[in-house]
Amino acid sequence: MAQLALKNHERNSPDHRIDWRRVAYLVHLSRALDEMEEKRLVPEKKVLYQFSARGHDMAQILLGTQLTGLHDAACGYYRSRPLLLSLDVDPADALGSAMGRAGGYSDGRDIGVVFNYPNRSGASALPMCGGVGAQYTPTAGWAQAMKYYATTLGREEYTRDIAVVLGGDGSVASNGFWAAVTAATTQALPMLFYIEDNGFGISVPSTAQTPGGNIAANLASWRNLAIFDGDGSSPAEAANLVHDAVSFVRRERKPALLRLTVPRLEGHSFQDTQTYKSEETVRREWARDPLPRLKDFLVPAVMTMEEWDACESEAREAAESACARAEGRPVADPSTVTRHVFFDGDMQAMGGQHPSGYVPPAATDEPEMSGPRINMVTAIRRTLEHEMAINERVVMFGEDIGPKGGVHAVTLGLQEKFGNERIFDTSLSEEGIIGRAVGMALAGLVPVPEIQFRKYAEPATEQLNDCGTIRWRTNNRFAAPIVVRMPGGFFKCGDPWHSQTNEVAFVHQPGWKVAVPSNAEDAVGLLRTSLRGNDPVIFFEHRAMLDHAWARRPYPGDDFALPFGKARLTRTGSDITIVTWGAMVHRCEEAAEGFSADIIDLRTLMPWDREAVLASVAKTHRCLIVHEDLEAAGFGAEISAVIADKAFTDLDAPVSRLTMPDIPSPHNPILLDWAVPSTERIAKRIAEILEF
Ligand SMILES: Cc1ncc(C[n+]2csc(CCOP(=O)(O)OP(=O)(O)O)c2C)c(N)n1
């Protein structure tokens, strides 16, 4: 591949398939915006975060000119504004967002350099993240969705579309980069890794990111990855390499990596004075400025000097007009800032199945009570099977969920039924699993990733967090509704790795709904609602309940769906309210024998049914919260705080919590039994509260 690139690079006159006048105009526009920020808007404190794209600009714009697929998508990073301009984003949106004004990419919620651009008539820009490396796996997910639409669903209109990710030389050391390279190359995804190597990650040289400093050279022997490498400051070479790399991915439906060396002509950000660079380094960087090179390349071959000057003036005027329009925008009404954490009926422009007119089938919360009692594993499998059968957008993936059927056997037999494009095993990378799910959701699919055990969601923490905030930070332009199935909690024994619950961590991450079913019937209802819904969901499958006799229920029917935020009152009584969920519901029921208790199974923690709890406490005047998760900052703390706040005068006793002590789950069953709230200890605590 490198050889092919060199050959093309010998073509050093302007390639007439490229609209060079537009390229020149956009480079001038990008420079004018950078200069305006550096000289006026940042010193005047109208723009608070500025990352100059000078030096990176020309090659990015050449890349943008190649994104001609109707469903192409690119995900950039904070230095990617030139690409955005080349996708025809209004510069007033770019500047207005940098100023944090109303409208634009995020209505003032996110920094202006972190952008997004939903586009139904051409290439889109996927929601960017502030975290370096976080852009990679969602882009792999978009590429996977293109493949899925074209190959699995046979949709002709997706056969040439690709995904492009932009990253700096520092980002190639990130987990996300490697997760995406592995996913794209093991699954042959139409994805271009576009690496802008400016030699520094803030101040750290690229030799600290990859040995020798050249990621393209180091990946030369990586299987299934075409490598292109060259000078991003040379107009001819950059144009040819970008064209060849993009065409390769489009044509071959395989991944490629294009590394272009570019000079970073300014500091990392406005505040960076670059004292770590020698004068000689700075001089050499400026000698590689692509703008004068572009001029020499195009004048007179493509345009006259007068036309070049006119192009620059036109770009400067456009930048001034954009600035005036941006400054004319107000700041968003602060009271709107709590909107768009979740879907509220106002449809996002892109992401998930709902924007393209999906109407969920009719559903009921009345279960069909006939049929044998089935365990939670079978109930979940049956629900997945039905929803996959009626909805071709549902795709499942994770570790060992294919031929093995999952380590908990939930997906047993499903790959045989639906094929290995709709249910597949992934590389062992949770960031890869969740990030790709995000990208697939952005492209309109309904991804259902499985995390093998709760604890192993940790490598995906960044992707989970960023997924939850997509709707909010793009001000409802994008959303990524995915359903993450995740088993956890104790089983026959405990241990620090397979047994934690820690559901509360997801409640604390904006944008996630959290389901914690205690039995087969609720699992069916909540899973179905999740798969048909328009928000990301953590669906928690308790290991101890998957095959527990108490949790077995008749299959409630293919139309059974339960609303989130609606608790189930499993027993009624008058003396105490017991609030619980998951594996503790069964123990609370046993413990409450002989007492007159309301037992509330919350079923979902985000949202949670405050009304049911407060109404019950108003009746019983006493409350015990039982959960398996740790006490400190567990979800019980939230419930007690709400009761203290809203029902203080109703109480005849302090609100009490019975939980695991603040320790990891112990392995030996005797130690575990001591740590997890047992029926006996719950009963004892109930008696104590009643005696208070
Ligand atoms: C996960 C993460 N770690 C650290 C940072 C802080 N940070 C922002 S940019 C940057 C350097 C990135 O360099 P590179 O990828 O080469 O891109 P460049 O800025 O040179 O274009 C760092 C360390 C971050 N944003 N995210």
Side-chain angles (χ1 to χ4, degrees):
M1 275 306 125
Q3 269 178 0
L4 172 71
L6 271 177
K7 233 178 179 179
N8 284 339
H9 144 64
E10 285 161 14
R11 280 195 320 242
N12 59 7
S13 56
D15 178 342
H16 290 291
R17 287 167 301 186
I18 293 172
D19 183 352
W20 285 105
R21 285 163 196 272
R22 183 161 175 269
V23 171
Y25 170 77
L26 290 171
V27 176
H28 282 306
L29 178 60
S30 176
R31 292 281 166 123
L33 296 175
D34 275 340
E35 186 182 307
M36 185 182 282
E37 287 176 333
E38 286 152 7
K39 293 209 169 131
R40 285 158 37 194
L41 300 176
V42 178
E44 289 168 13
K45 298 199 167 34
K46 289 178 179 161
V47 167
L48 303 177
Y49 274 64
Q50 200 257 355
F51 295 81
S52 169
R54 286 169 198 261
H56 289 235
D57 33 21
M58 182 192 70
Q60 268 184 40
I61 286 161
L62 287 167
L63 175 66
T65 64
Q66 300 292 321
L67 299 186
T68 53
L70 183 58
H71 309 106
D72 281 354
C75 192
Y77 68 109
Y78 47 82
R79 219 177 290 289
S80 306
R81 186 165 64 194
L83 177 93
L84 194 70
L85 298 175
S86 71
L87 299 184
D88 278 341
V89 167
D90 183 349
D93 273 355
L95 275 185
S97 299
M99 292 178 195
R101 301 300 174 102
Y105 322 137
S106 78
D107 215 30
R109 295 168 172 213
D110 201 346
I111 47 181
V113 292
V114 171
F115 60 75
N116 64 82
Y117 178 50
N119 183 8
R120 290 225 166 262
S121 51
S124 293
L126 303 183
M128 286 174 30
C129 300
V132 171
Q135 70 271 38
Y136 285 106
T137 52
T139 313
W142 184 279
Q144 185 129 27
M146 295 306 105
K147 184 174 174 181
Y148 184 80
Y149 282 122
T151 314
T152 312
L153 302 187
R155 301 267 292 270
E156 184 66 27
E157 69 275 24
Y158 286 87
T159 47
R160 65 182 297 276
D161 299 315
I162 65 169
V164 180
V165 68
L166 289 77
D169 47 282
S171 74
V172 305
S174 69
N175 297 341
F177 175 78
W178 293 101
V181 166
T182 305
T185 51
T186 53
Q187 298 202 273
L189 304 181
M191 172 169 180
L192 175 63
F193 294 81
Y194 174 89
I195 305 301
E196 303 170 64
D197 187 345
N198 62 25
F200 292 91
I202 306 186
S203 64
V204 180
S206 50
T207 46
Q209 313 294 353
T210 192
N214 180 348
I215 189 67
N218 289 337
L219 285 173
S221 63
W222 193 277
R223 291 290 289 272
N224 297 341
L225 185 68
I227 300 291
F228 299 81
D229 188 11
D231 183 356
S233 69
S234 151
E237 188 167 335
N240 293 330
L241 283 167
V242 166
H243 173 268
D244 291 348
V246 169
S247 310
F248 173 87
V249 178
R250 255 194 225 301
R251 189 180 63 242
E252 303 295 327
R253 317 307 294 156
K254 285 186 188 152
L257 180 140
L258 166 59
R259 167 186 175 256
L260 291 177
T261 56
V262 290
R264 193 190 76 199
L265 298 176
E266 300 290 340
H268 167 72
S269 63
F270 183 82
Q271 285 74 15
D272 176 21
T273 49
Q274 305 206 79
T275 46
Y276 48 86
K277 283 185 185 170
S278 68
E279 275 180 27
E280 172 58 16
T281 304
V282 174
R283 198 195 54 71
R284 268 192 277 114
E285 286 179 330
W286 275 98
R288 292 185 61 218
D289 182 355
L291 185 61
R293 288 187 175 193
L294 185 64
K295 182 172 155 191
D296 291 346
F297 186 63
L298 298 183
V299 179
V302 171
M303 53 173 73
T304 63
M305 195 57 216
E306 290 70 35
E307 286 172 322
W308 173 268
D309 289 342
C311 182
E312 181 175 357
S313 311
E314 195 192 329
R316 284 185 178 279
E317 276 166 32
E320 287 301 338
S321 138
C323 183
R325 282 185 290 137
E327 290 204 69
R329 294 181 180 182
V331 173
D333 173 356
S335 70
T336 61
V337 86
T338 51
R339 276 201 75 192
H340 304 313
V341 174
F342 294 108
F343 176 57
D344 63 5
D346 189 1
M347 191 60 70
Q348 66 271 20
M350 219 172 205
Q353 57 185 343
H354 288 252
S356 51
Y358 168 78
V359 180
T364 170
D365 58 3
E366 286 296 322
E368 287 170 14
M369 291 308 283
S370 56
R373 286 152 47 91
I374 56 173
N375 68 13
M376 217 153 128
V377 170
T378 314
I380 295 169
R381 186 189 305 130
R382 201 158 154 187
T383 311
L384 291 169
E385 186 174 343
H386 178 76
E387 295 303 306
M388 287 196 83
I390 63 167
N391 188 351
E392 64 184 15
R393 290 177 187 255
V394 180
V395 189
M396 296 189 2
F397 44 91
E399 293 156 13
D400 306 290
I401 74 158
K404 180 173 168 62
V407 299
H408 311 277
V410 173
T411 56
L412 199 64
L414 294 186
Q415 191 184 55
E416 277 164 36
K417 180 147 195 199
F418 294 103
N420 55 10
E421 283 163 338
R422 293 195 65 193
I423 300 200
F424 56 88
D425 287 330
T426 63
S427 39
L428 203 168
S429 164
E430 284 74 17
E431 172 159 8
I433 293 170
I434 299 300
R436 129 177 36 197
V438 169
M440 292 169 83
L442 292 173
L445 297 178
V446 182
V448 190
E450 175 177 305
I451 294 292
Q452 209 160 68
F453 291 92
R454 159 69 187 92
K455 171 88 170 77
Y456 305 138
E458 285 171 11
T461 303
E462 183 182 36
Q463 290 302 328
L464 287 164
N465 197 308
D466 293 352
C467 175
T469 59
I470 284 179
R471 187 187 293 278
W472 181 88
R473 61 193 159 87
T474 66
N475 195 33
N476 209 32
R477 284 155 60 109
F478 280 95
I482 68 178
V483 181
V484 185
R485 296 182 33 251
M486 192 184 293
F490 68 89
F491 188 32
K492 289 175 182 157
C493 55
D495 74 279
W497 318 110
H498 303 92
S499 305
Q500 67 165 257
T501 52
N502 195 12
E503 328 86 339
V504 74
F506 302 110
V507 177
H508 204 69
Q509 302 197 22
W512 283 97
K513 292 191 166 174
V514 180
V516 284
S518 66
N519 63 77
E521 180 184 315
D522 289 353
V524 170
L526 295 171
L527 183 57
R528 179 157 290 119
T529 300
S530 309
L531 294 167
R532 297 177 179 183
N534 198 10
D535 284 306
V537 176
I538 300 289
F539 188 81
F540 203 81
E541 299 172 4
H542 200 289
R543 292 170 67 216
M545 306 317 283
L546 284 172
D547 190 32
H548 197 291
W550 176 88
R552 292 178 189 199
R553 306 289 150 96
Y555 181 67
D558 288 340
D559 299 327
F560 181 68
L562 282 172
F564 274 52
K566 204 95 197 83
R568 182 198 287 268
L569 203 57
T570 76
R571 277 175 188 225
T572 53
S574 53
D575 297 344
I576 187 168
T577 300
I578 302 173
V579 185
T580 189
W581 58 90
M584 294 297 111
V585 178
H586 163 59
R587 293 186 180 197
C588 288
E589 285 198 351
E590 278 184 348
E593 285 296 334
F595 297 106
S596 178
D598 265 1
I599 299 183
I600 297 178
D601 176 356
L602 282 181
R603 304 202 281 202
T604 64
L605 300 186
M606 179 56 81
W608 67 282
D609 197 344
R610 290 166 165 233
E611 291 69 29
V613 171
L614 293 173
S616 174
V617 171
K619 179 180 77 174
T620 65
H621 312 295
R622 287 175 161 79
C623 185
L624 169 64
I625 301 156
V626 181
H627 63 65
E628 179 183 339
D629 194 11
L630 314 188
E631 183 176 63
F635 195 65
E638 173 70 16
I639 300 170
S640 346
V642 169
I643 296 171
D645 192 22
K646 305 284 179 209
F648 183 70
T649 52
D650 290 332
L651 291 171
D652 287 344
V655 176
S656 186
R657 287 178 289 162
L658 189 59
T659 70
M660 280 264 288
D662 292 334
I663 54 168
S665 183
H667 181 50
N668 186 299
I670 295 172
L671 304 183
L672 176 78
D673 283 347
W674 182 87
V676 175
S678 62
T679 301
E680 295 68 36
R681 282 195 295 135
I682 299 168
K684 187 161 166 272
R685 184 67 69 87
I686 295 172
E688 285 163 10
I689 297 169
L690 292 180
E691 279 163 21
F692 179 85

